Amino acid sequence: MLVLLVGVADYVTGAELSISIFYLIPISLSVLFVNRRVGVFFSVFSSATGLTTDLMVGHPYSHSVIVYWNNAIQLGFFLIIVFILSALKTEYEKTVKLNSDLQDTLSDLRKTQDELERKSQDLARSNTELEQFAYVAAHDLKQPLVVAGGYINRLRRLYKDKVDPKADRFIEYASDAINRMEALINALLAYARVGTKAKDLKVADYNEIVECAITNLQAEIEKSCAIVTYDRLPSLLADHIQIIQLFQNLIGNSIKFRGEEPPRVHISAEHKEQEWVISICDNGIGIDCRHSTSIFEIFQRLHDSSKYPGTGIGLATCKKIAENHGGRIWVESCPGKGSTFKFAIPIR
Ligand code: ADP
């Protein structure tokens, strides 16, 4: 590049100037490999050398000032080159630094991503282990409970009204406790069985699913004179067993938490952009909106079990089921004005 520049200069200006332009080689190298100050020093030094030589040799210019003029122009040219090169060098160094920073950030990001992946795998594993543990523990707890229940029943059959009335009362307390424990273990087993994903996803007709849930709840419906109605519902991807359980828990709660009136439950569906929202609306006792999130946590109950028996696991199971289907669940309610439980299932 420099040789080309010198060649062009030589052609335009004559051989004398081309010699000066050769000074650009040490000037450029000093800017690129040392710094701008050394480049400026070399520029001044080479122009001064040129001027001295010109003055000593003597040029056939029409006026003696032309020698100074020529060297001043040359110094200006050298300085421009020095500043351009130094600016280019600074830009280049900046780009290199930026690149290396980017590489560092990328490698940090990759490390964080790896760490995150490892943690999420650990979490999934520990979740599965916990679920298996809950399942096995609940399953094994059931066995001694059945035995204890059997003996309490035998005691009742053989000794009711034959010993002390106190003994009859104690037998009833023990029997109630065993029933409650059995309900709790069954609910825990159902919760653990739901797992963290829908297992058998197929397109299912929600009308049939609701019919199944209503059939399973027939005893409670008849006992409470409940009226359960539903609009035409869509067909969606569903784990059949899990969605039946979801409806059963919600309709069951609507019947259990009834007010003075016989329970009325209505199920409807609304098509939104990306999902179907299913609503289960009742005329029960309602819920204070302060509890509308906490009731979906396991073992969270708002009422005394002597008034409304239960385990506090039903809605936590519903939440898991909705999430297993890529959806969500929530409640809209006011105390004394009934509740509407809604869950959304994405359309896939
Ligand atoms: P459980 O029914 O065994 O108590 P859940 O997890 O199903 O447990 O419900 C948690 C709590 O949410 C209930 O104890 C009750 O206080 C409240 N709840 C649930 N469904 C209704 C409803 N339809 N109407 C009023 N309260 C409800």
Side-chain angles (χ1 to χ4, degrees):
M1 184 73 184
L2 269 170
V3 173
L4 198 74
L5 217 96
V6 171
V8 173
D10 195 11
Y11 177 76
V12 176
T13 62
E16 289 88 349
L17 226 125
S18 73
I19 292 164
S20 311
I21 286 175
F22 261 117
Y23 288 130
L24 277 178
I25 294 171
I27 292 170
S28 310
L29 291 178
S30 61
V31 175
L32 292 177
F33 293 106
V34 190
N35 61 27
R36 193 169 62 192
R37 251 190 242 164
V38 179
V40 170
F41 168 76
F42 269 115
S43 304
V44 175
F45 178 74
S46 42
S47 291
T49 313
L51 180 66
T52 316
T53 321
D54 277 358
L55 288 175
M56 276 165 55
V57 174
H59 268 283
Y61 295 123
S62 57
H63 198 284
S64 59
V65 173
I66 294 180
V67 176
Y68 295 101
W69 168 258
N70 277 353
N71 279 290
I73 293 286
Q74 184 187 297
L75 177 61
F77 172 67
F78 284 164
L79 288 178
I80 287 171
I81 296 286
V82 165
F83 278 92
I84 289 175
L85 279 180
S86 135
L88 284 175
K89 186 185 164 195
T90 313
E91 278 310 305
Y92 173 74
E93 280 170 354
K94 261 194 215 159
T95 315
V96 168
K97 170 130 192 3
L98 218 71
N99 214 3
S100 109
D101 285 355
L102 208 77
Q103 291 296 339
D104 287 352
T105 316
L106 264 176
S107 101
D108 282 355
L109 217 75
R110 234 171 270 134
K111 263 190 222 149
T112 317
Q113 195 182 353
D114 286 352
E115 180 84 347
L116 225 84
E117 237 162 60
R118 206 173 47 74
K119 283 210 170 126
S120 94
Q121 275 170 5
D122 284 354
L123 204 75
R125 202 176 36 247
S126 93
N127 247 350
T128 317
E129 279 169 10
L130 208 71
E131 264 159 23
Q132 273 167 0
F133 171 76
Y135 186 80
V136 171
H139 193 264
D140 289 356
L141 277 174
K142 237 179 141 171
Q143 188 57 29
L145 205 68
V146 170
V147 176
Y151 279 110
I152 293 282
N153 281 339
R154 267 180 90 177
L155 273 176
R156 191 194 282 127
R157 249 195 344 266
L158 293 175
Y159 300 108
K160 192 163 168 51
D161 300 328
K162 286 188 189 142
V163 205
D164 182 352
K166 250 190 192 167
D168 288 351
R169 235 181 27 247
F170 291 160
I171 287 173
E172 286 316 311
Y173 290 158
S175 169
D176 280 356
I178 283 175
N179 286 343
R180 274 209 308 279
M181 182 74 132
E182 210 174 346
L184 191 68
I185 289 174
N186 284 338
L188 262 177
L189 275 172
Y191 182 75
R193 223 178 275 130
V194 163
T196 45
K197 53 178 182 277
K199 285 164 193 120
D200 194 14
L201 275 181
K202 281 193 198 120
V203 176
D205 182 352
Y206 270 44
N207 301 286
E208 283 174 17
I209 288 185
V210 167
E211 246 340 291
C212 270
I214 293 174
T215 310
N216 293 345
L217 289 166
Q218 206 51 47
E220 283 96 319
I221 291 175
E222 276 170 18
K223 207 163 115 198
S224 61
C225 302
I227 299 168
V228 185
T229 52
Y230 58 95
D231 294 343
R232 202 169 158 66
L233 301 173
S235 288
L236 290 170
L237 269 186
D239 179 320
H240 207 263
I241 294 176
Q242 289 191 10
I243 297 288
I244 291 180
Q245 194 176 351
L246 172 57
F247 274 111
Q248 209 169 302
N249 286 357
L250 294 179
I251 301 170
N253 275 352
S254 291
I255 296 172
K256 180 163 62 173
F257 297 104
R258 59 178 173 269
E260 302 294 312
E261 305 270 299
R264 278 198 320 275
V265 188
H266 183 69
I267 300 151
S268 56
E270 193 184 347
H271 186 198
K272 295 268 170 83
E273 227 168 77
Q274 301 287 335
E275 59 190 15
W276 274 94
V277 176
I278 315 285
S279 305
I280 294 94
C281 180
D282 67 44
N283 62 338
I285 57 174
I287 300 162
D288 190 323
C289 60
R290 277 180 302 149
H291 306 295
S292 55
T293 312
S294 65
I295 53 169
F296 292 99
E297 283 163 26
I298 194 161
F299 300 131
Q300 290 296 323
R301 310 197 68 236
L302 305 180
H303 304 96
D304 188 14
S305 54
S306 59
K307 198 163 178 204
Y308 295 102
T311 57
I313 300 177
L315 287 182
T317 310
C318 291
K319 182 166 180 264
K320 248 192 182 194
I321 294 174
E323 285 169 0
N324 285 354
H325 286 75
R328 64 214 146 84
I329 186 167
W330 67 101
V331 65
E332 290 164 8
S333 180
C334 258
K337 301 229 166 99
S339 316
T340 302
F341 280 83
K342 296 188 177 188
F343 67 92
I345 300 285
I347 299 165
R348 281 185 252 174

